[in-house]
Amino acid sequence: MTTSRLLLALLLLAAYLAMCAAIYLAEKRKRKRAAHEAAAWLPSADGGQTWLVAYASQTGFAEQLARQTARVLHTGGVPARVSALSELGDEELQCTESALFIVSTYGEGDPPDNASRFFDKLMQAPAALPSLHYGLLMLGDRSYASFCGFGRALAAWLAASGAQALFEPVVVSNEEAAALQAWQHHVNRIAGTSDVPDWQAPAYRRWRLAARRLMNPHSAGTPTYHLELEAPDGGALAWQAGDLAQILAPGDRQRPREYSVASIPADGRIHLLVRQERHGDGTLGIASGWLTHDAPLGAPVELRLRAHGNFRIGDNARRPLILIGNGSGLAGLRSHLRARAADFATRPSRNWLIFGERNAASDFYYREEIEAWQAQGLLTRVDMVFSRDQAERRYVQDRVREQAGIVREWIAHDAAIYVCGSLEGMAGGVEAALIDVLGEDGVSDLVAQGRYKRDVY
Ligand SMILES: Cc1cc2nc3c(=O)[nH]c(=O)nc-3n(C[C@H](O)[C@H](O)[C@H](O)COP(=O)(O)OP(=O)(O)OC[C@H]3O[C@@H](n4cnc5c(N)ncnc54)[C@H](O)[C@@H]3O)c2cc1C
Ligand SMILES: Cc1cc2nc3c(=O)[nH]c(=O)nc-3n(C[C@H](O)[C@H](O)[C@H](O)COP(=O)(O)O)c2cc1C
């Protein structure tokens, strides 16, 4: 009896193993066929070539897609390496035969920060790239006048440089799923992985609006609120200083709004600093109006976190920081200061805050916290620049110029610069001031070394 049971078990096991082997061989044949098709379709993908997956990304979406793209290539056994566009040199590109570019557009058709060096140094004249075969994914938003302006400029430059497009560029407005699937289809063909499931964007979770406080009563400017959001039950508190929260407001579930996270996981909640937008017709901004006015305390908030590689601390962890910002931009700077405050006892750091608003009496957000950090030594220097507290208007960029000597000294001591807040006015003004103080080469060296990071909008 025992022997026959044993025999039966062995037979079942053998049948099971045979079935597994058959599935494995069928899969292998399928992969080989797909890889063969891809090789035939791609003139120079000779198996030995490592694919370059290059991204230009400001708020992290293109970078996230670049990493997903490389992962699919690896799954199909196709070697791939990921690089920010700014890390690529002329010669390196000339030696590359197969590349996928994933690029977003900023400002008015401008490259993101981590492509500005590539744009300035390489794209000003055609290069010689006759052996480069490439695919291009352009990310943008149709509501901007220069839709995918940088992606189109890159396509034109690649064509003028003799590179050959493997397929029509894929154009994505506002993360639309159908266009992203078209890109995934191309990547699957290259990798021979047609059976890989569709890429899933991280899901929105329901956080809870737990606290809301007006930060600038009687301000001459727009009301600005400190918000606190509690994680869904069992939800992990997993983000880093510098990251972004994407929020879907009930009034516009198609287009998420981004907010710079102002806290760290050790705070137990996501903090945001939200300026209440008001349209020309007097109505409140869709997302900011809902968050700061319409949503009752306790309301669920559809939120997902986005890693913001361009504004995380990364290799700057041991460097002094010059933190420059205005208005709600204090949010992104505060997350870094809170991170540094959390381990100040074991890892003391030097930090300089240069922050601009209208009036000290009404617009000095987080005043007690900032003054406590100053007393503690976490903030070595603080320059609060209130534009309307004197007859002449003064802004953070003016302070950067006035303090030129000290800025140079901090940079000579390896400081990194973090800028957060308005793209219009502040960010451009600060950049012009930094160029005056450090020279064009000085600023582009900082960019190249990852010592000039921006979260500007
Ligand atoms: C990387 C990043 C980080 C950000 N961080 C922060 C932050 O920390 N804090 C913060 O407060 N904001 C931040 N923002 C801005 C934020 O994402 C939103 O853009 C802002 O809150 C406005 O959104 P809203 O839905 O309230 O306004 P919307 O309703 O989208 O209105 C925005 C603009 O659209 C136009 N508009 C839309 N509808 C009308 C209409 N009916 N009439 C007239 N004009 C109209 C107006 O020009 C208006 O100014 C950030 C943005 C980015 C990209
Ligand atoms: C401040 C700002 C400016 C932008 N300017 C443009 C633009 O001029 N043209 C465009 O097509 N998209 C523009 N966009 C949309 C982004 O390119 C788009 O959201 C893209 O998916 C972002 O990708 P990233 O996270 O990799 O930077 C802009 C977005 C922001 C926040």
Side-chain angles (χ1 to χ4, degrees):
M1 188 66 182
T2 320
T3 319
S4 57
R5 271 204 187 156
L6 193 66
L7 268 176
L8 185 64
L10 281 172
L11 271 174
L12 283 172
L13 183 67
Y16 175 72
L17 287 176
M19 190 180 74
C20 290
I23 293 173
Y24 170 77
L25 287 173
E27 279 297 305
K28 202 173 161 190
R29 271 198 301 275
K30 203 162 134 193
R31 283 244 167 98
K32 212 169 158 188
R33 201 168 49 237
H36 186 73
E37 278 173 15
W41 172 64
L42 301 167
S44 64
D46 58 7
Q49 260 284 320
T50 295
W51 280 74
L52 166 69
V53 183
Y55 63 86
S57 180
Q58 190 71 34
T59 55
F61 187 46
E63 180 175 354
Q64 175 198 319
L65 292 175
R67 297 197 186 284
Q68 251 164 332
T69 296
R71 224 172 288 136
V72 174
L73 294 179
H74 283 300
T75 307
V78 176
R81 69 195 166 87
V82 178
S83 170
L85 217 49
S86 58
E87 285 162 13
L88 288 178
D90 204 358
E91 283 173 13
E92 194 180 353
L93 209 51
Q94 276 169 10
C95 299
T96 304
E97 289 184 10
S98 316
L100 295 173
F101 295 97
I102 304 176
V103 305
S104 69
T105 289
Y106 271 80
E108 288 156 12
D110 299 330
D113 286 346
N114 65 11
S116 58
R117 191 179 165 88
F118 185 91
F119 181 73
D120 291 344
K121 297 244 176 327
L122 269 72
M123 283 176 63
Q124 298 311 308
L129 305 171
S131 38
L132 178 65
H133 295 81
Y134 72 92
L136 172 59
L137 173 62
M138 305 179 189
L139 306 178
D141 185 331
R142 267 181 227 285
S143 61
Y144 286 92
S146 179
F147 175 51
C148 287
F150 176 62
R152 290 174 205 285
L154 180 64
W157 177 77
L158 286 165
S161 302
Q164 292 159 53
L166 294 166
F167 45 83
E168 280 294 304
V170 176
V171 178
V172 176
S173 176
N174 198 20
E175 306 193 13
E176 65 208 354
L180 285 171
Q181 271 168 13
W183 176 256
Q184 195 186 348
H185 168 77
H186 289 306
V187 177
N188 281 335
R189 267 189 92 179
I190 295 168
T193 50
S194 50
D195 46 358
V196 167
D198 277 356
W199 296 351
Q200 294 283 317
Y204 285 88
R205 307 277 316 269
R206 289 183 152 205
W207 290 61
R208 197 180 69 85
L209 182 57
R212 178 165 58 205
R213 195 165 71 242
L214 177 63
M215 299 294 275
N216 56 349
H218 316 298
S219 173
T222 340
T224 299
Y225 289 82
H226 168 87
L227 307 184
E228 295 187 12
L229 298 152
E230 240 171 36
D233 280 346
L237 296 173
W239 72 89
Q240 289 186 25
D243 284 352
L244 296 167
Q246 291 187 297
I247 288 178
L248 287 179
D252 184 359
R253 299 185 54 79
Q254 303 304 309
R255 206 163 68 86
R257 303 297 194 277
E258 322 246 17
Y259 294 94
S260 315
V261 177
S263 56
I264 54 173
D267 293 319
R269 287 176 173 178
I270 285 181
H271 297 178
L272 304 177
L273 186 62
V274 177
R275 206 178 69 85
Q276 193 179 68
E277 178 88 32
R278 198 171 279 278
H279 300 146
D281 62 6
T283 56
L284 291 181
I286 292 171
S288 65
W290 181 71
L291 285 168
T292 61
H293 182 266
D294 301 339
L297 277 186
V301 177
E302 304 271 338
L303 181 151
R304 71 180 181 202
L305 286 152
R306 168 170 283 177
H308 193 189
N310 264 359
F311 206 64
R312 283 183 169 185
I313 198 72
D315 293 342
N316 295 320
R318 290 178 187 283
R319 293 188 161 119
L321 294 186
I322 305 177
L323 303 140
I324 307 173
N326 70 336
S328 58
L330 190 52
L333 307 180
R334 181 177 184 254
S335 66
H336 283 297
L337 286 168
R338 290 190 74 80
R340 293 199 147 201
D343 53 24
F344 190 64
T346 51
R347 193 194 279 181
S349 54
R350 298 182 73 220
N351 304 286
W352 176 5
L353 176 66
I354 307 178
F355 178 72
E357 251 296 346
R358 286 188 173 173
N359 301 102
S362 51
D363 306 316
F364 196 153
Y365 313 132
Y366 304 112
R367 180 175 200 148
E368 283 176 16
E369 187 174 65
I370 288 171
E371 288 177 348
W373 282 337
Q374 218 176 343
Q376 179 195 5
L378 176 80
L379 279 170
T380 323
R381 298 184 65 88
V382 175
D383 282 273
M384 301 299 289
V385 189
F386 292 103
S387 58
R388 299 186 181 203
D389 276 353
Q390 60 286 309
E392 177 201 347
R393 295 276 161 90
R394 330 195 61 201
Y395 301 101
V396 284
Q397 53 266 42
D398 303 321
R399 189 57 59 93
V400 169
R401 281 198 185 83
E402 286 158 18
Q403 307 272 16
I406 305 171
V407 172
R408 280 190 214 106
E409 195 184 299
W410 276 58
I411 294 300
H413 284 92
D414 205 31
I417 299 175
Y418 280 66
V419 180
C420 191
S422 324
L423 183 59
E424 218 171 279
M426 192 273 300
V430 167
E431 177 136 337
L434 289 172
I435 289 173
D436 284 353
V437 171
L438 303 168
E440 289 230 18
D441 287 348
V443 172
S444 53
D445 286 350
L446 288 181
V447 174
Q449 293 161 17
R451 289 167 61 197
Y452 178 34
K453 304 257 184 178
R454 305 197 308 168
D455 172 9
V456 293
Y457 45 90

